[in-house]
Amino acid sequence: MKQVKLVNPLTAYFHGTYDEQPQPVPGIQKKMKPQPDCGEKSYKGHNRLTGRKILVTGGDSGIGRAAAIAYAREGADVAINYLPEEEEDAKEVAALIQEAGQKAVCIPGDLSDEQFCQELVTKAYKQLDGLDGLTLAAGKQHYVEHIADLSTEQLRKTFEINVFSLFWIVKAALPYLPAGATIVTTSSLEAFQPDAALLDYAATKSAIAAFTHGLGKQLAAKGIRVNSVAPGPVWTPLQITGGQPQSAIPDFGKMTPLKRAGQPVELAGMYVYLTSDESSFVTAEVYGINGGVHL
Ligand code: NAD
Ligand code: MG
């Protein structure tokens, strides 16, 4: 009997102990050890997004970067948004999109600013010469153990970046999005099983799940589908920049049944599925990808 080479999920990706490695927010992926795997070397496209024009927020690093690389290799032109401090990571993503033979548009700016969110959409539409996909992966996560220590400033910023920007971007994009366009948001396992030290973040991620369910129903009549990915622990800059206490970094992800953190590339297929026509009967849905810690 001939057995094809199978991938053992326990050992398929890094499953050792991470070093503590604090960085200031938003963090530079290039400085992380080990490097998060966003599919730079491994993701193979299959023409599932030929000719599509997609805006990805948080596209410089982590999960958004994995989606951006995959979209380009599936044949889409991609605009990425990120913070100006992240230019170094963003340049690498732009080069990878171009290497895939697709157009890369870089639009840095702060999503907690409503006016910028509107400009972002207009610029993406103009520079991509159309817009038929939004992948909203930017996010802020900063752990605070006690609610008494949670500042109103952090509370406000977390909601502005994680929730308000979705409303602002979708409102600005609706006039451009044709029937068949797809919106993918990024919720979290935290929406369903909140950590005691992530109250503000978890509340935004619940809001994103509710937003996705409701918007999916609202936009169904226009033929626009809206879905969400709800990841568990994934090795990205978000975690080492205060998403977790540094003391939790060495064993990050070890609490999952698969006993390791996920790598961003392990989510790319889901973003591609939800953005492509393969998911044509799927809307208003939230999908977990979290190593066995189910939603
Ligand atoms: P990441 O740090 O690579 O990505 C987050 C991105 O958000 C940054 O690259 C940055 O460009 C962007 N961002 C933050 N503040 C911004 C602002 N004010 N304006 C514009 N952009 C801003 O980390 P990631 O883990 O890949 O995060 C991507 C998404 O996945 C986030 O929504 C996060 O909440 C979600 N998520 C991550 C995990 C995980 O374990 N890593 C788990 C569940 C959900
Ligand atoms: Mg980043």
Side-chain angles (χ1 to χ4, degrees), residues 26-27 29 58 60-62 86 89 237:
Q29 174 158 319
D60 61 299
S61 59
E86 299 174 300
D89 284 340

Side-chain angles (χ1 to χ4, degrees), residues 63 141 162 185-196 198-209 228-234 238-239 244 252-262 267 271 286-295:
I63 295 165
Q141 173 184 334
N162 295 6
T185 65
T186 307
S187 177
S188 172
L189 178 60
E190 290 294 325
F192 305 89
Q193 297 182 42
D195 187 292
L198 291 173
L199 291 189
D200 55 336
Y201 176 79
T204 65
K205 292 294 163 176
S206 279
I208 294 170
S228 192
V229 181
V234 182
L238 193 79
Q239 301 299 344
Q244 307 282 329
F252 180 61
K254 290 268 169 69
M255 34 54 89
T256 67
L258 292 181
K259 301 208 176 338
R260 64 175 175 87
L267 286 75
Y271 281 87
V286 178
Y287 285 89
I289 302 187
N290 38 50
V293 194
H294 53 80
L295 301 185

Side-chain angles (χ1 to χ4, degrees), residues 134-185:
L134 301 175
T135 288
L136 306 171
K140 175 177 172 63
Q141 173 184 334
H142 205 279
Y143 88 99
V144 174
E145 270 171 28
H146 300 291
I147 189 167
D149 299 325
L150 181 57
S151 70
T152 298
E153 191 196 350
Q154 170 168 332
L155 189 56
R156 193 170 278 141
K157 276 283 169 205
T158 306
F159 271 83
E160 282 172 353
I161 295 165
N162 295 6
V163 182
F164 287 17
S165 76
L166 306 193
F167 284 82
W168 294 331
I169 290 172
V170 170
K171 277 174 77 175
L174 269 186
Y176 301 130
L177 297 177
T182 43
I183 300 173
V184 184
T185 65

